Structure formats: C-alpha cells, structure tokens
Amino acid sequence: MSRAVTAAGGLLPDRHQQGDFFVCDIFDAIPKDDLASMEHPLFSLATRPDRRILQYDHNGTEITVTPSVKGLATIHDKDILIFCISQLMAAINAGRQVSRTLQLKAHDLLVATNRETSGDAYRRLREAFERLAGTRITTNIVTGDKETTTGFGLIESWEIVRKSRGGRMASVSVTLSDWLFRAVVSKSVLTLSRDYFRLRKPLERRIYELARKHCGRQPSWTVSVDTLLKKSGSASPRRVFRKMLRDMIEADHLPDYEMTEEPGDLMRFTPRGGLVSSDTPPPTLSAEAVEEARRLMPGADVYALEAEWRGVWARSGSPRLRKPDAAFLGWVKKRSSR
C-alpha cells in the first residue's frame, strides 16, 4: 500500500482525524435536541411556505427570524438538525473527535426520523435543507456559556456529495452554524423520545419540546396558556390556540408527558410513569459488559445504548438488579436481533 509523504519525508496529516468533517455512521443514535431551540421558538409551525419575519422577546432573550424566498424553516425541517446533533453527541460520548461539517446518508436520515424513503421524500428533504440554510437568526441566546448577539443560518451550508443512479441525493455534506455546534460541544442538549418523530402535527412537536425542556423529570410543570402561546411560536389567536391544546389533551399523543387543563387558564404537564427520578440508584455496569456490548453491536454507540437501557430500567419501576451486567447484555442482544 502506498503512503503519501511530504517533501520533508514525513506523512501528510490525517485530515479526517483532525476533524475536517465527521461521518455520520453511528447506528441508532439516541435523539438529542439543543436546549436553546427547545425553549425558544426558532421554527415555523406552518404547513405552507411562511414568509413572515418573526420577532420574539422573553426575559431578556431577543430573537429575530428572517425567511428566505423559500420561507422559514419549519419544525419538521428541524429533524435534520436533531439527526446531526444526535450523531455528534453519540460520537462525543464515545470519545470520538467531531466537526461541525458532517457527511451523512440521506436514506439513514429519513429512516432515523421516521420518514418515507420515496422519491417525493427525497425532494422534500432537499427543500428542507434549502429552508434551513436560507432562514436567518439574529439572537443573543447563550450557547456554551457564551452570549453574543449574532446573525447566522440554522445551517451554514449543504451540498449533495453523491447521487444515486436515479438522481436522488445519496450522500450529503452539512455544515452547522458555529452557534449550534457550540451548543453540542458544551452538551447543552436533552434526550428526546423516539416517538417525537411520530407526531404529525407541528404544534404537538413544539409542545412536547417545551414540556421536555421545562418539566423534564420534575413532578409537574404548570404554565399559562398565554405564556405557552408565546413560547410555542404559534400564529393562532389565543382562543384557537386554547382549542388546539384541548384537542391535544383529548388525543393524548404526547410522548412521556400527560397534559391537563387547570383552573385559571393554565396547562399542567406531568411525566408519565417512570420519568420521575426514583430513590433507587441507577445500575452500574462493568467495563467488561460495555466491551461485550460493543462486540455484540459493532458500530453502535455503547454509551448511548447504556443510557437508553437505563431509561428502560427507570420506566419499568427502577427495580433493584442483582446482575446488572447480565440484564444489560440481554437487552442489547434483543436490540441487535431486531
């Protein structure tokens, strides 16, 4: 095998190791979302092209969102960012080097975000990339303990690296904004339920984000309809918005949380069984069990697997485990056989 050398006789730098780009190759990474966009409305909830300039000011946080001719980036377009954040966080947890330029397979992105893989799905994916790159954010939101008033695109750039025989995008290169990448590196993220991608309605996705951010694993979170309307970014009048919330309560589709209406025009969010922290300490795994899990599922982020297994353990009532290694590896074997 030939080895490229410099004029001085040494090896050329390994640019991949230096972080010029990051290859999204982690199987079944746990969905992660950045805290800032979960708390504040950066995405349109409209299902048609939205060309409004959005203004938001809450407790010292100021945001202006300006669309391109393609319209504002939507909450469904955000799936792309969630996929990228999830891949980067899984890699960071595994001790790998990352970069804000990612190379990903379009098919993997569609599957991970519970989308169809038809020709129309690839077309919609391309339109989503265009809206993400064209939408401009001006804000003073702090990411990574750094507050700057700055303007940026949700993604800095994107390009189709490779097409399939049918002309569809096969491999895509995406460069995240420095603002978003800083949030990832500082681990300013939260885990989402995989059922998030099953929510069809934009408002359901946005309300789940707010519940996940503000309620988390607390016993409950109560918020006024007015504040929820403001933080959701919905353009609906309050009367219509309240009716939409009541419809959500009746449908009861939110993952992880139950929403109820309280007197005083309030909404209360309560974690479903298993999310509230228990007094039982989480099970501890041995280094040998972690290595065995890596062997059973090569290419998977074993630390993400461990985190997901702990979630399953918590939702099952946090039972005391006599042999946590055996329980974890048994769960991994079932996962690998799916």
Side-chain angles (χ1 to χ4, degrees), residues 142-147 182 186 188:
V142 176
T143 60
D145 296 326
K146 183 177 181 181
E147 178 178 346
R182 193 162 61 236
S186 65
S188 300

Side-chain angles (χ1 to χ4, degrees), residues 1 12 19 21 34 106 115 153-154 194-195 206 214 250 280:
M1 180 181 295
L12 288 170
F21 65 92
D34 73 288
R115 297 189 180 204
L154 290 163
R194 294 189 187 278
D195 286 337
R206 182 66 189 128
H214 291 280
E250 184 177 355
T280 305

Side-chain angles (χ1 to χ4, degrees), residues 221-238:
W221 173 54
T222 302
V223 60
S224 69
V225 170
D226 279 342
T227 299
L228 202 56
L229 173 59
K230 182 178 183 180
K231 293 182 76 67
S232 72
S234 172
S236 299
R238 183 172 62 176

Side-chain angles (χ1 to χ4, degrees), residues 144-334:
D145 296 326
K146 183 177 181 181
E147 178 178 346
T148 55
T149 299
T150 182
F152 52 88
L154 290 163
I155 59 175
E156 187 173 293
S157 62
W158 70 282
E159 66 173 332
I160 298 175
V161 177
R162 183 171 56 85
K163 290 186 177 182
S164 66
R165 292 182 179 179
R168 301 174 183 173
M169 65 170 70
S171 179
V172 188
S173 175
V174 185
T175 299
L176 303 180
S177 67
D178 182 64
W179 179 87
L180 182 58
F181 185 67
R182 193 162 61 236
V184 174
V185 172
S186 65
K187 298 187 177 181
S188 300
V189 300
L190 281 177
T191 299
L192 301 181
S193 166
R194 294 189 187 278
D195 286 337
Y196 170 85
F197 297 115
R198 298 181 61 197
L199 297 173
R200 293 188 303 108
K201 297 180 179 179
L203 184 60
E204 288 180 332
R205 290 187 170 210
R206 182 66 189 128
I207 294 300
Y208 170 76
E209 282 188 330
L210 289 168
R212 180 69 185 91
K213 169 62 176 65
H214 291 280
C215 186
R217 284 164 166 72
Q218 300 178 83
S220 67
W221 173 54
T222 302
V223 60
S224 69
V225 170
D226 279 342
T227 299
L228 202 56
L229 173 59
K230 182 178 183 180
K231 293 182 76 67
S232 72
S234 172
S236 299
R238 183 172 62 176
R239 174 180 55 82
V240 175
F241 181 73
R242 186 188 296 109
K243 173 62 166 60
M244 296 166 73
L245 293 178
R246 287 171 176 167
D247 290 344
M248 288 175 58
I249 291 173
E250 184 177 355
D252 197 24
H253 286 160
L254 284 188
D256 300 339
Y257 300 96
E258 180 181 6
M259 181 168 62
T260 54
E261 187 172 6
E262 301 287 327
D265 214 20
L266 301 173
M267 291 291 166
R268 183 181 183 188
F269 295 85
T270 307
R272 298 186 191 274
L275 272 184
V276 179
S277 298
S278 77
D279 294 331
T280 305
T284 301
L285 299 177
S286 67
E288 291 76 12
V290 173
E291 283 303 314
E292 178 62 13
R294 185 176 285 115
R295 187 191 68 79
L296 290 170
M297 293 187 69
D301 176 2
V302 293
Y303 299 102
L305 285 173
E306 180 181 354
E308 186 172 352
W309 174 71
R310 288 176 188 270
V312 173
W313 167 82
R315 288 190 293 274
S316 66
S318 305
R320 295 189 180 276
L321 301 177
R322 296 181 60 185
K323 297 181 178 181
D325 284 359
F328 171 62
L329 292 175
W331 178 83
V332 170
K333 290 176 182 176
K334 290 182 179 179

